[in-house]
Amino acid sequence: MSAAPAYSEDKGGSAGPGEPEYGHDPASGGIFSSDYKRHDDLKEMLDTNKDSLKLEAMKRIVAMIARGKNASDLFPAVVKNVACKNIEVKKLVYVYLVRYAEEQQDLALLSISTFQRGLKDPNQLIRASALRVLSSIRVPIIVPIMMLAIKEAASDMSPYVRKTAAHAIPKLYSLDSDQKDQLIEVIEKLLADKTTLVAGSVVMAFEEVCPERIDLIHKNYRKLCNLLIDVEEWGQVVIISMLTRYARTQFLSPTQNESLLEENAEKAFYGSEEDEAKGAGSEETAAAAPARKPYIMDPDHRLLLRNTKPLLQSRSAAVVMAVAQLYFHLAPKAEVGVIAKALVRLLRSHSEVQYVVLQNVATMSIKRRGMFEPYLKSFYIRSTDPTQIKILKLEVLTNLANETNIPTVLREFQTYIRSMDKDFVAATIQAIGRCATNIGRVRDTCLNGLVQLLSNRDELVVAESVVVIKKLLQMQPAQHGEIIKHLAKLTDNIQVPMARASILWLIGEYCEHVPRIAPDVLRKMAKSFTAEEDIVKLQVINLAAKLYLTNSKQTKLLTQYVLSLAKYDQNYDIRDRARFTRQLIVPSEQGGALSRHAKKLFLAPKPAPVLESSFKDRDHFQLGSLSHLLNAKATGYQELPDWPEEAPDPSVRNVEVPEWTKCSNREKRKEKEKPFYSDSEGESGPTESADSDPESESESDSKSSSESGSGESSSESDNEDQDEDEEKGRGSESEQSEEDGKRKTKKKKVPEGKGEASSSDEDSDSSSSTSESEMTSESEEEQLEPASWRRKTPPSSKRAPATKEISLLDLEDFTPPSVQPVSPPAIVSTSLAADLEGLTLTDSTLVPSLLSPVSCVGRQELLHRVAGEGLVVDYTFSRQPFSGDPHMVSVHIHFSNSSDTPIKGLHVGTPKLPAGISIQEFPEIESLAPGESATAVMGINFCDSTQAANFQLCTQTRQFYVSIQPPVGELMAPVFMSENEFKKEQGLQGGH
C-alpha cells in the first residue's frame, strides 16, 4: 500500500502530513489556479486509498467540467472508482461518466459490468445512479443491457429506483425506437404503481413513447386523479396535461347544451344556484338551441375537476397554469371563473411568470371576458414593468373594455401616452383605436383624442396616431373631411415612412372630400419623389393615378411626371407599378379596352379594416403550451382533440372485479364483517363502497371520491358531506329509538364468549330489511357504548365461535377471503382467536398443538381467470415453516379450472429471483379437470426481505408470469408466551 503523495503549491495554506496543499485563486473561484498542470496529481489522488482524497479530486474534476474544461484524459482513472464504497465519491463518478461516456465509448463499455453490479447494490441511491448512468451512455450496442436493467428496476422495491426506471424509458426510446413494444409493457406496469413518486415520471414516459395508447390510461384514470394532489409539482403538470387530452376524448362537451345542464348532486359544490343560473342565462345561443337530451356530466369528468381544483392554491405557477388550462378546456362555463383569482395571484410573481400568464389571460379574456372583469385594476400598468409586460397588460385591458368601464380604461390610456417608452406609447395608441372600433359610442372621443396627439412633439407618437386615425376614418369618411385636411398639412413635418404613406392613401382614397388640397399634396410629393422610401413612392403613384381619374385637368402633367420618374427607379417593384399604371389609366390603341375599367379598379369601395386582437386565433393551441406562447406549432406538440359526438363507454375505467366477489359472497362478507367494522362509521363507509356493484361504481366515485385518495383535501365537499350525514342521522333518530333499545337488550343477553358472533348473526338477519338510516343510527349507538365487553372474555375460554373468524391481517386486503369450510369446534383458528388469546390474564402457556396446521388466512390472487385463460390461482401463507427447509415460508397455492377444457402439466418454470431468494417448487399437477380444484405447497425463502419472488406457472401450452410479495408479518415465526412472560421479555428490552 503506497502512501499518499505529497503536493506543493505556489499558493495555499498548510495541510496535514501526507495531505496535498492546494492554492485558492480568487479569479478561478477558489478551486484551481491559472496553472492547469494538475491532471497527474488528480490521477494520483484517485489512485490512493483515502476516500477524502478521492472525494476532493472528484470535486475538482467536476468543477473543471462545470467551467467547460476538458477532463476526458482522466476517464480511466475516474472509472476505476465506480466500485468505491464511499457514496459521495460514487455520485461524483457517475456525474463524470454521464458527461464523457459517449465520447469515451470503448472505455465506457469496459465499465458496463461495474454498472450492472451497481444495479444490485443494497443502497437504492446507488442502484438509481447506476441505472441513470447506464441509460445515459448513447451506445446502441448496449440497448439489450439497458432494456434488461430498466425491466429489473421497474420491479424494484424502492420507489426512487422505479422512478429512475421511468426516466430511463424515453432515453432508451430515443436511442432505439424499435424497442417501443417492450417499453410499452414496462410503462403499463409502472402506470399501475400506486406510489406518488413514480406517477409523474411514468406519465412523462407515456407522453414521450406512446401518447396514442390512450387505452393504457383507462384502468389508471381514477387512481391518477386521486393521487394527483400528493404528486410532486413537476409530475402534477405532466399528469394534468395528459388528463386534459384524455378527457377531451372520453367525455362529452359540458358546453354543448349549457341551458339544460343537470349535474348529479354537485350544484352547490362550486357556487350558489343563482350564480349558475346567471352564467347559464348569459348564453344567447342556449335559448335558441333545439330540444335535446339534458346533459349530465360523467362522474369521472367531475372527479377530475374536483381533484384539480385545490391545486389552484399551489405555490408552483406551473401547476396553477396547468389547472387553469384544464378548467378552460374542460369545465362548464359557469365554473371556469374559479381560475381567475388564481391567475391574478400569479401576476405578483417574477416577470417571466407574468409574461406566460398574461399570454394565456389575453387568450382567455377574448372568449370569457366576464371572468376577469372584477380584476380589472390588477392589470393596470406599473412604471417598473418591462415593455413586454406592459404591452400584454394593454392587450388584456383592451379585451376587457366595455361600455361600463371604458371611461376608466381611457383615463388609464391617457396616462400611458405620456410614458417615455416609445414602443409602449405606440401600443397604447393602437389600443385606443381598438376601443374606438369595438365601442361605437366612444369612437368620436377616441378620434378627437388621437387628432390632438398629432400636435405632439414626438414624431413616433404622431406617426402611430396617423396610422390609427386612417383606420378609424375608413368607417365614417364623409363625416371627417376636416381631419383629412389636417392630416394633409402634416406631410411637410412627418418623416416616418408608414405615417406618410398612410396620409397619402387617405388623401387618394377620399380625394373627392379634399378636391383642392389633394393636387397640391401630389405636387409636393413629386418634388421629393426620388428621396422617399419605397412604401411612400408606391402611395405617391397610387395618389397620382386616382387624381388623374378624378381631376385630370389639374393633375395630368403631374401624373405623367411622377410616372416618368418611377419608370427609372432602382426598385423593380416601383418600375413595374409605374408601367402597369401608365398602361391602365392612359388610353392607347393597345390598352384602350382595359383603361375603360380603370376607375372600377382604382376607386372601388374598400371595406373598413377590423381591428382585432392578435390573440384571437391562438385558442386552438392548448393553453400553457410552448406552441401557444410562440403562436406556432412547436416540435412534439400534440393537438388538443375535439369533443366526441357521443360519449364513449365509461365502463372501460372500471377496474375489473374478480369473479368470486359477486352477489352471494359479497352479502355473506357484509354479514360477517358488520360487527367488526361497526365500531366506527369511517371504516364501514369505504368497505361498503368497495363492495358496491360495478354498475354503480362510477356513481359512487362521484359522491365519495373526496373520501378516497387525494379527494380528502377538498374541505368544502367534506363539510357538506358531514352536514348531510348529520341531518340524515337526526332524521332517523326518533324513528329508530325503539329498535335501538331492543338491540341493547339483545346484546346484554348474549353470552360473553360468543357476543361478537351472536350479534353478527342476529344483525345480519335483520339487515336486509333495515334502511340506510337504521344502519347509521346503529353504528352511532355502538360508538357510544363502552367497549368493555371485548375485554371481559374469560381467560380460560378457548372454545372457537360457531362462525368463521376474520383475521386482523385481512383488513389490508381489498378482496374478501374465500369461503372456507367451518373448522371443528375443538380446533382454534390462528386468526382473531389466537390474537385475542395472546391477551390472557393468566400465567398458563398456550399449547401450540391445539392450533390448526393450516390457518384460514384470506386468499390473495396470483393469477386472474381472464389472464390465466380459465386458470384461477390464489395463494395463502400458512404461517408455518416449510417442511423441507425451516428457513422457507410455507405458501399454499390453490388452483381452480374455470374453463371447459382440462389443464395439464401444471408446474413451476424458471424463476427470476433477486439475490438471496430461493424457491422449493411444488410437485407437478398432471391434470386439472374443468371445475376441479387442487392445492399445492411450495417453500419460498424471502431472505428476510419483502422483495417479490417472481416465477412462471407453466402448463403444457402456456406460461404465466406471477409474483408473490410477502407482508412483513408473514415473515415472522409465532412465539407463544403468557402475559407475564411477555412483560418480562419487554422489560429486558432497552430504549423505552
Side-chain angles (χ1 to χ4, degrees):
M1 184 179 297
S2 60
Y7 305 92
S8 61
E9 288 292 322
D10 297 335
K11 304 176 184 179
S14 60
E19 297 288 340
E21 294 181 356
Y22 285 101
H24 298 276
D25 187 2
S28 63
I31 299 178
F32 285 97
S33 64
S34 58
D35 185 12
Y36 287 100
K37 300 177 181 179
R38 309 190 187 281
H39 283 201
D40 293 337
D41 294 343
L42 292 172
K43 290 178 182 179
E44 291 183 18
M45 292 175 68
L46 292 172
D47 289 337
T48 62
N49 296 325
K50 291 187 177 182
D51 290 343
S52 60
L53 291 178
K54 291 181 179 180
L55 182 60
E56 181 66 21
M58 287 308 306
K59 287 181 179 179
R60 299 185 180 207
I61 292 173
V62 172
M64 289 176 59
I65 298 173
R67 291 183 315 185
K69 302 298 181 181
N70 184 14
S72 58
D73 58 332
L74 297 172
F75 194 93
V78 173
V79 78
K80 294 178 184 177
N81 291 277
V82 176
C84 180
K85 295 181 179 180
N86 189 298
I87 295 179
E88 297 299 324
V89 175
K90 272 189 175 183
K91 290 180 181 178
L92 294 177
V93 170
Y94 286 140
V95 171
Y96 177 90
L97 293 178
V98 171
R99 169 64 180 82
Y100 286 107
E102 190 171 359
E103 297 180 9
Q104 304 282 344
Q105 293 186 6
D106 296 336
L107 293 176
L109 291 176
L110 295 176
S111 60
I112 291 295
S113 59
T114 307
F115 301 144
Q116 289 178 300
R117 286 197 299 271
L119 295 173
K120 304 293 184 182
D121 195 277
N123 191 317
Q124 61 175 351
L125 297 177
I126 300 303
R127 296 199 302 273
S129 299
L131 178 60
R132 188 177 295 112
V133 174
L134 189 63
S135 61
S136 300
I137 300 176
R138 314 292 296 170
V139 182
I141 196 173
I142 67 167
V143 166
I145 299 176
M146 291 172 61
M147 177 60 72
L148 181 61
I150 291 175
K151 287 183 176 180
E152 292 181 355
S155 303
D156 196 278
M157 63 183 300
S158 169
Y160 180 70
V161 179
R162 299 199 298 272
K163 178 186 179 76
T164 307
H167 289 168
I169 290 174
K171 298 179 183 178
L172 179 56
Y173 179 71
S174 64
L175 185 62
D176 185 4
S177 58
D178 295 337
Q179 306 294 324
K180 181 175 181 177
D181 293 338
Q182 297 186 54
L183 292 176
I184 290 177
E185 295 178 3
V186 180
I187 291 174
E188 185 175 7
K189 181 178 181 180
L190 290 175
L191 279 173
D193 199 305
K194 298 180 180 179
T195 310
T196 56
L197 192 64
V198 182
S201 301
V202 67
V203 170
M204 186 63 194
F206 169 82
E207 291 284 80
E208 291 286 339
V209 178
C210 54
E212 73 282 354
R213 287 292 305 274
I214 207 73
D215 58 295
L216 300 179
I217 306 299
H218 291 324
K219 298 296 183 183
N220 302 288
Y221 171 81
R222 294 170 184 163
K223 181 195 69 176
L224 290 174
C225 289
N226 289 327
L227 290 180
L228 188 59
I229 201 167
D230 295 321
V231 179
E232 78 279 1
E233 295 168 350
W234 175 82
Q236 286 174 342
V237 175
V238 176
I239 294 174
I240 291 173
S241 177
M242 183 272 294
L243 291 179
T244 303
R245 291 191 303 105
Y246 177 88
R248 287 290 287 256
T249 62
Q250 300 300 312
F251 307 130
L252 293 178
S253 172
T255 60
Q256 65 178 358
N257 201 357
E258 195 74 17
S259 62
L260 298 177
L261 182 62
E262 294 179 8
E263 297 179 14
N264 293 333
E266 297 292 341
K267 222 170 190 180
F269 184 83
Y270 289 99
S272 63
E273 295 182 358
E274 297 178 0
D275 294 339
E276 293 188 4
K278 181 180 178 180
S282 63
E283 296 298 324
E284 297 178 357
T285 59
R292 306 178 57 177
K293 182 180 178 180
Y295 169 76
I296 299 177
M297 181 175 285
D298 190 293
D300 288 328
H301 192 174
R302 170 60 62 196
L303 176 68
L304 177 60
L305 294 177
R306 181 192 297 114
N307 286 2
T308 52
K309 184 182 178 183
L311 295 179
L312 289 172
Q313 302 176 14
S314 174
R315 64 179 181 179
S316 171
V319 175
V320 175
M321 192 65 247
V323 177
Q325 64 86 23
L326 182 141
Y327 263 75
F328 183 80
H329 292 302
L330 302 182
K333 290 184 178 179
E335 300 179 11
V336 180
V338 299
I339 67 175
K341 187 174 183 179
L343 292 176
V344 170
R345 174 173 61 88
L346 296 182
L347 296 181
R348 303 186 183 95
S349 303
H350 301 292
S351 58
E352 295 84 359
V353 175
Q354 292 184 50
Y355 182 78
V356 176
V357 171
L358 287 170
Q359 288 262 5
N360 292 273
V361 170
T363 301
M364 294 180 189
S365 60
I366 295 175
K367 288 191 173 181
R368 309 282 172 86
R369 178 186 302 174
M371 188 167 62
F372 294 98
E373 283 182 359
Y375 308 98
L376 181 69
K377 292 185 178 180
S378 299
F379 300 101
Y380 286 176
I381 295 166
R382 300 181 178 88
S383 59
T384 56
D385 288 337
T387 302
Q388 297 84 354
I389 303 298
K390 291 178 179 178
I391 294 175
L392 285 175
K393 285 186 175 180
L394 268 178
E395 183 74 27
V396 176
L397 287 173
T398 307
N399 292 340
L400 298 181
N402 55 32
E403 293 188 357
T404 303
N405 58 27
I406 189 63
T408 305
V409 174
L410 288 180
R411 281 197 299 270
E412 280 291 311
F413 289 170
Q414 189 176 3
T415 305
Y416 300 159
I417 290 175
R418 294 194 289 268
S419 173
M420 300 299 295
D421 189 341
K422 304 307 177 185
D423 294 335
F424 172 52
V425 172
T428 303
I429 295 173
Q430 294 176 5
I432 294 174
R434 280 184 54 198
C435 290
T437 304
N438 299 333
I439 305 173
R441 74 180 185 88
V442 297
R443 186 173 301 158
D444 293 339
T445 303
C446 294
L447 192 56
N448 293 333
L450 292 174
V451 171
Q452 292 178 5
L453 291 178
L454 296 178
S455 58
N456 195 290
R457 295 181 180 179
D458 193 335
E459 186 179 358
L460 294 177
V461 174
V462 175
E464 195 65 37
S465 300
V466 169
V467 175
V468 175
I469 289 173
K470 169 216 166 188
K471 296 177 181 179
L472 294 179
L473 288 180
Q474 286 183 257
M475 299 179 181
Q476 296 174 334
Q479 301 177 11
H480 304 290
E482 294 299 325
I483 297 179
I484 298 176
K485 295 179 181 178
H486 183 66
L487 291 175
K489 297 177 182 179
L490 296 176
T491 53
D492 296 335
N493 302 324
I494 296 179
Q495 300 299 324
V496 177
M498 180 58 71
R500 291 173 69 84
S502 298
I503 294 175
L504 292 175
W505 186 91
L506 272 176
I507 295 174
E509 186 69 17
Y510 307 111
C511 56
E512 67 275 7
H513 298 292
V514 284
R516 296 181 180 180
I517 298 178
D520 191 55
V521 171
L522 178 61
R523 179 182 58 81
K524 293 181 179 179
M525 299 306 300
K527 291 182 180 179
S528 60
F529 182 85
T530 56
E532 299 289 347
E533 296 288 337
D534 292 342
I535 188 174
V536 180
K537 290 180 179 178
L538 291 174
Q539 292 302 325
V540 172
I541 296 174
N542 188 29
L543 174 62
K546 292 179 179 179
L547 290 178
Y548 181 87
L549 295 173
T550 58
N551 189 6
S552 60
K553 293 181 180 180
Q554 295 182 0
T555 59
K556 180 177 181 180
L557 295 177
L558 279 175
T559 301
Q560 293 178 352
Y561 176 73
V562 170
L563 292 178
S564 62
L565 290 176
K567 185 178 179 180
Y568 300 102
D569 195 87
Q570 296 180 353
N571 191 320
Y572 64 89
D573 289 333
I574 297 175
R575 295 198 303 267
D576 293 345
R577 176 73 65 86
R579 291 167 182 167
F580 169 75
T581 303
R582 178 184 292 273
Q583 294 296 326
L584 191 60
I585 65 175
V586 179
S588 62
E589 296 180 358
Q590 295 84 2
L594 188 61
S595 62
R596 288 197 297 268
H597 303 285
K599 286 189 177 182
K600 294 182 180 179
L601 294 176
F602 280 97
L603 302 178
K606 300 174 181 62
V610 179
L611 300 180
E612 294 181 340
S613 171
S614 59
F615 291 85
K616 182 179 180 181
D617 298 326
R618 287 200 187 189
D619 58 344
H620 65 277
F621 291 115
Q622 185 172 353
L623 295 183
S625 63
L626 179 62
S627 298
H628 176 269
L629 190 70
L630 301 176
N631 198 22
K633 188 174 181 180
T635 304
Y637 173 75
Q638 300 176 34
E639 295 284 350
L640 196 63
D642 294 329
W643 292 102
E645 294 293 334
E646 297 182 0
D649 183 13
S651 63
V652 295
R653 290 181 291 277
N654 295 340
V655 178
E656 185 174 354
V657 180
E659 183 71 21
W660 43 283
T661 60
K662 296 287 174 74
C663 300
S664 59
N665 288 349
R666 184 183 300 116
E667 294 176 358
K668 293 179 181 179
R669 181 172 181 247
K670 282 185 178 180
E671 294 173 1
K672 293 179 181 180
E673 293 186 356
K674 183 178 176 182
F676 188 86
Y677 283 106
S678 62
D679 291 343
S680 66
E681 289 181 331
E683 294 177 354
S684 62
T687 305
E688 292 176 3
S689 64
D691 292 337
S692 60
D693 295 334
E695 291 81 0
S696 63
E697 182 175 353
S698 60
E699 296 180 6
S700 63
D701 284 342
S702 67
K703 296 180 180 179
S704 62
S705 60
S706 61
E707 297 174 15
S708 60
S710 65
E712 294 177 359
S713 65
S714 182
S715 60
E716 297 177 13
S717 60
D718 289 345
N719 295 335
E720 293 177 6
D721 292 341
Q722 290 177 4
D723 294 340
E724 293 174 4
D725 293 341
E726 291 173 3
E727 292 176 3
K728 185 183 296 182
R730 287 193 296 268
S732 62
E733 183 177 3
S734 60
E735 299 175 4
Q736 302 299 325
S737 59
E738 296 180 3
E739 293 191 15
D740 293 347
K742 293 180 181 179
R743 286 196 181 91
K744 292 182 180 180
T745 305
K746 287 182 179 181
K747 290 182 180 180
K748 292 179 181 178
K749 293 180 180 180
V750 169
E752 294 177 351
K754 299 182 180 180
E756 185 179 355
S758 301
S759 63
S760 65
D761 293 338
E762 295 173 2
D763 290 343
S764 61
D765 293 338
S766 62
S767 62
S768 60
S769 62
T770 57
S771 63
E772 184 179 355
S773 61
E774 293 173 345
M775 297 172 62
T776 307
S777 62
E778 180 183 352
S779 61
E780 291 175 355
E781 170 209 327
E782 291 179 3
Q783 285 182 352
L784 297 175
E785 278 190 353
S788 58
W789 59 275
R790 301 179 188 173
R791 300 192 296 271
K792 291 180 179 179
T793 304
S796 60
S797 174
K798 296 184 180 180
R799 293 179 297 172
T803 57
K804 172 184 172 292
E805 298 288 353
I806 301 299
S807 172
L808 288 174
L809 295 178
D810 291 344
L811 296 180
E812 299 178 358
D813 300 333
F814 290 97
T815 55
S818 59
V819 178
Q820 297 289 342
V822 178
S823 303
I827 299 178
V828 181
S829 79
T830 58
S831 57
L832 185 60
D835 295 332
L836 292 177
E837 284 183 347
L839 301 178
T840 179
L841 301 177
T842 64
D843 295 338
S844 61
T845 59
L846 298 177
V847 182
S849 62
L850 293 177
L851 299 175
S852 172
V854 179
S855 63
C856 298
V857 183
R859 291 187 182 185
Q860 301 186 43
E861 184 181 75
L862 188 63
L863 184 65
H864 191 260
R865 62 181 179 83
V866 177
E869 299 179 358
L871 176 62
V872 181
V873 185
D874 302 327
Y875 68 94
T876 57
F877 292 94
S878 64
R879 300 181 179 171
Q880 299 292 332
F882 186 63
S883 58
D885 187 349
H887 297 289
M888 289 188 172
V889 176
S890 179
V891 182
H892 288 239
I893 311 296
H894 309 278
F895 301 93
S896 179
N897 185 2
S898 62
S899 65
D900 298 331
T901 58
I903 299 175
K904 298 182 179 181
L906 275 170
H907 64 282
V908 176
T910 305
K912 296 182 179 180
L913 303 172
I917 296 181
S918 59
I919 287 181
Q920 179 62 44
E921 305 171 0
F922 59 82
E924 181 177 348
I925 300 176
E926 296 182 357
S927 179
L928 196 63
E932 187 179 355
S933 299
T935 301
V937 182
M938 64 185 300
I940 305 178
N941 183 4
F942 290 100
C943 195
D944 295 332
S945 70
T946 57
Q947 295 190 62
N950 303 313
F951 58 93
Q952 297 177 2
L953 280 179
C954 304
T955 64
Q956 288 185 351
T957 58
R958 288 297 308 272
Q959 294 181 349
F960 306 103
Y961 291 91
V962 294
S963 175
I964 296 179
Q965 186 168 8
V968 178
E970 302 294 353
L971 302 178
M972 300 181 182
V975 178
F976 302 94
M977 62 179 65
S978 66
E979 183 181 9
N980 292 338
E981 291 175 343
F982 174 78
K983 290 182 177 179
K984 181 179 178 181
E985 292 293 333
Q986 187 181 30
L988 298 177
Q989 305 298 321
H992 65 278

